[in-house]
Amino acid sequence: MTIVSNVAQSEFLNNLNWDVLSCHDKALCLMAESLKENASLYFIMFKIMGRDYMRRHYDLGIGDNAYYEFVGKLCGIRMERCYGKEDEFIAHMKEMADKNQRCVLMINTRYQQGARLEGKKDHPHFMGYQGYDEDYFYFIDEDWSKQYWKTKDVEEVIYCQRKIDKEELVRMAAQVRSCNIFESKDKGVPDGNYYMYYLLTKENDKPCTLSEIKGLFLEQLTYFIENCRGLLEYTERQISHFKNNLSEYRNEMVLGVRNRLDQEEREADEIAMKEQIANARKDELFAIRTRFIYPCESEIIGGYYFFLYMLKRILTLRCEDFAGKDKLLQQIKILLNDYEYVKLQIARSVILGETQLVDRAWERYLKISKKSVSIYKKLIREEWMIKEV
């Protein structure tokens, strides 16, 4: 059996859900940690900083190339997206393990047993490669038996070792053309069936020290406070654009998606939309369909929610106790609850096509933003330390 050094599940990363790390970034974190201890903290704590404080790239699930260059420079790890032909796949996977190389592999969960969209839709997913033996290839991947997509408000997404035989792995990994979210941006994509992976390598041997991570984080937080007015004005302009284009966005999110569905799926979507409209008219909390959660420019507001939620998890999981910790966590909890109101009004605005609901969301967000800055200032003043795990 050939195992890549230090590639293993992480109790800390297991305690983080998709609001903190997508499957894409969690797999990168696992492999980065195998190269440098504490490297994952850069992916987690600098998500909005690496997107120029949400002025450049709104999606917090998977960043743009500049984001991963930013994180890579901070932790000293290069992440290179690579492609290979299907007929070279198995030999190359073995070669990478033999060379002790760190690889994050993309698969299509349409062909994965137990996945939410198995046999239904193409969907990209990412796994950390651990090695191989005579019969199987081994990965660190989500524990699919737990079916986290069925659980509301889960704070953990457990990853564990997963073994996959050659036939299943080829089926999943060489069928990624239809779900390749990077294809339009990448060069050198082979013709025919291909596989895609990240190759992670150390650019230097400088350790990722907790004191340096904290210091840089506070520098970035100070910048945010000093520039909060300009950042807020930028967000307001983007939300204004969102409001002015609400009707068009609604058509894209409802009709655009529906046009890509088959007849059975289209009928089910129409029924689900009628239920969403009925719930949205009541102005009460309800289960919002994913497509309506912080859509389009409103994703900037979602980004600041996720940043605050990340702070809560870091303070809870990775910070030593300090005098103001409990009070700070309570204040964050209150603001996160306030964000639920903002998310609801934005979703209702799209579902019902009513622009005044965007105004209602913005008014509440202004109050949250002001209180958030107060929390950031307290975090700078307090004496706190990131702890080892």
Side-chain angles (χ1 to χ4, degrees):
M1 185 174 187
T2 303
I3 293 294
V4 181
S5 302
N6 302 323
V7 178
Q9 65 190 83
S10 160
E11 183 178 352
F12 166 57
L13 295 177
N14 278 348
N15 276 283
L16 302 176
N17 65 14
W18 294 305
D19 286 348
V20 182
L21 287 174
S22 65
C23 68
H24 177 276
D25 280 14
K26 184 171 281 195
L28 289 175
C29 281
L30 284 164
M31 303 312 290
E33 282 284 336
S34 75
L35 291 169
K36 289 190 177 185
E37 188 178 5
N38 300 318
S40 63
L41 289 173
Y42 288 108
F43 292 82
I44 297 164
M45 298 176 68
F46 294 84
K47 289 178 76 170
I48 65 168
M49 293 80 161
R51 291 164 170 82
D52 196 15
Y53 295 87
M54 303 304 293
R55 288 178 295 201
R56 189 189 72 253
H57 184 78
Y58 303 157
D59 183 3
L60 287 195
I62 299 180
D64 59 1
N65 290 339
Y67 169 72
Y68 294 105
E69 289 175 6
F70 170 85
V71 172
K73 287 180 181 178
L74 292 181
C75 62
I77 294 174
R78 174 178 169 81
M79 292 162 275
E80 181 183 4
R81 203 155 52 226
C82 308
Y83 294 87
K85 296 180 180 179
E86 179 185 10
D87 58 2
E88 303 168 348
F89 175 58
I90 293 300
H92 189 211
M93 292 298 292
K94 291 181 177 180
E95 180 184 5
M96 283 192 290
D98 292 341
K99 293 181 177 179
N100 204 38
Q101 292 178 325
R102 276 39 174 210
C103 161
V104 168
L105 182 69
M106 181 169 78
I107 64 168
N108 186 346
T109 60
R110 175 193 281 268
Y111 305 100
Q112 175 175 304
Q113 295 181 6
R116 179 171 62 91
L117 298 174
E118 178 192 359
K120 298 177 181 178
K121 293 181 182 179
D122 298 302
H123 184 74
H125 179 66
F126 301 84
M127 311 183 299
Y129 182 42
Q130 193 179 34
Y132 71 96
D133 61 19
E134 186 175 341
D135 299 310
Y136 296 100
F137 290 83
Y138 294 84
F139 296 85
I140 303 299
D141 189 22
E142 178 183 332
D143 184 349
W144 293 90
S145 69
K146 297 186 181 297
Q147 298 186 325
Y148 289 108
W149 59 88
K150 293 184 177 180
T151 307
K152 180 177 172 55
D153 298 329
V154 62
E155 285 199 323
E156 65 176 19
V157 177
I158 303 297
Y159 273 45
C160 57
Q161 187 186 74
R162 177 182 176 201
K163 62 180 183 180
I164 306 172
D165 64 42
K166 181 177 72 173
E167 288 73 21
E168 183 183 3
L169 186 61
V170 170
R171 188 166 59 249
M172 292 190 300
Q175 300 284 342
V176 296
R177 175 177 294 281
S178 54
C179 69
N180 185 3
I181 52 180
F182 309 111
E183 186 171 358
S184 62
K185 306 172 186 177
D186 283 355
K187 297 179 180 179
V189 180
D191 295 328
N193 285 341
Y194 58 79
Y195 60 98
M196 191 232 96
Y197 65 98
Y198 283 95
L199 183 64
L200 282 75
T201 54
K202 282 200 297 185
E203 292 197 314
N204 58 59
D205 292 320
K206 182 181 178 183
C208 299
T209 64
L210 297 179
S211 60
E212 185 171 310
I213 293 170
K214 177 196 169 184
L216 183 57
F217 179 74
L218 292 182
E219 285 181 18
Q220 300 282 327
L221 208 55
T222 300
Y223 171 89
F224 176 79
I225 293 168
E226 292 173 347
N227 293 272
C228 62
R229 182 184 295 276
L231 292 169
L232 189 62
E233 290 173 352
Y234 172 81
T235 303
E236 184 175 19
R237 291 194 298 272
Q238 299 306 307
I239 296 302
S240 177
H241 186 271
F242 171 74
K243 176 182 171 182
N244 293 336
N245 292 273
L246 188 62
S247 178
E248 178 184 344
Y249 289 156
R250 186 183 189 280
N251 287 337
E252 289 177 359
M253 276 179 272
V254 177
L255 300 179
V257 170
R258 192 167 294 167
N259 289 337
R260 296 194 295 270
L261 304 177
D262 61 32
Q263 183 60 34
E264 183 179 348
E265 291 172 326
R266 190 176 299 119
E267 291 173 359
D269 188 70
E270 289 173 356
I271 293 171
M273 272 307 303
K274 288 179 181 178
E275 181 180 350
Q276 287 281 284
I277 291 170
N279 288 330
R281 284 177 177 151
K282 297 175 184 178
D283 195 13
E284 298 174 353
L285 288 175
F286 63 96
I288 303 169
R289 303 186 79 185
T290 303
R291 73 180 77 161
F292 303 122
I293 297 177
Y294 296 124
C296 308
E297 290 90 351
S298 74
E299 194 168 0
I300 299 173
I301 291 178
Y304 287 116
Y305 162 81
F306 293 130
F307 180 72
L308 201 60
Y309 180 79
M310 176 278 297
L311 280 182
K312 171 193 166 187
R313 298 303 288 157
I314 288 293
L315 286 169
T316 302
L317 299 171
R318 292 298 301 264
C319 283
E320 304 283 358
D321 289 338
F322 56 91
K325 180 178 178 179
D326 290 342
K327 185 176 181 180
L328 204 56
L329 282 169
Q330 184 60 34
Q331 290 172 331
I332 291 174
K333 181 180 178 180
I334 291 171
L335 290 189
L336 291 175
N337 288 336
D338 286 344
Y339 265 113
E340 291 301 310
Y341 176 87
V342 174
K343 180 175 73 175
L344 174 66
Q345 300 311 319
I346 290 174
R348 291 181 69 227
S349 75
V350 181
I351 295 168
L352 300 175
E354 298 179 2
T355 57
Q356 69 270 23
L357 296 173
V358 181
D359 295 330
R360 190 183 295 183
W362 180 252
E363 289 173 6
R364 179 65 66 89
Y365 175 69
L366 286 176
K367 296 177 182 177
I368 295 173
S369 180
K370 183 177 181 180
K371 292 178 181 178
S372 296
V373 171
S374 177
I375 286 176
Y376 303 152
K377 289 179 178 178
K378 289 179 182 177
L379 198 57
I380 290 174
R381 291 196 304 267
E382 292 283 0
E383 293 291 334
W384 56 278
M385 294 178 58
I386 306 174
K387 63 183 178 182
E388 297 281 1
V389 292

